[in-house]
Amino acid sequence: MIAAAWRRLGIALHLPDRDGLRRALPIAIAGLAAIAAVAAATGFARFDPMPFGWTWLRYAVALAIVPSLTEEIL
């Protein structure tokens, strides 16, 4: 049973070959372009750099800690 789990983990972590990456690249570029277009059109994403300081540091710490704690709680 453990051998089967290791085998499945190895298959899941196997990187695709060059041909697979070549086929996936246009799909990834089109998807990212569509996401960026929708985010920019709806105002969800905007370029508004924040000056470096305590506020930036608080956000960075929160972004590093909150997702992992949420995952563990769920």
Side-chain angles (χ1 to χ4, degrees), residues 5-70:
W6 277 110
R7 187 175 65 248
R8 290 181 68 184
L9 181 63
I11 292 169
L13 296 177
H14 180 72
L15 294 175
D17 58 355
R18 202 175 270 193
D19 187 46
L21 288 174
R22 194 174 306 132
R23 286 189 313 229
L25 186 62
I27 297 168
I29 291 172
L32 287 173
I35 290 169
V38 170
T42 60
F44 185 71
R46 67 182 192 279
F47 182 72
D48 187 17
M50 185 185 313
F52 187 76
W54 288 110
T55 304
W56 183 89
L57 190 58
R58 277 197 335 248
Y59 284 143
V61 169
L63 287 173
I65 294 174
V66 171
S68 58
L69 286 178
T70 304

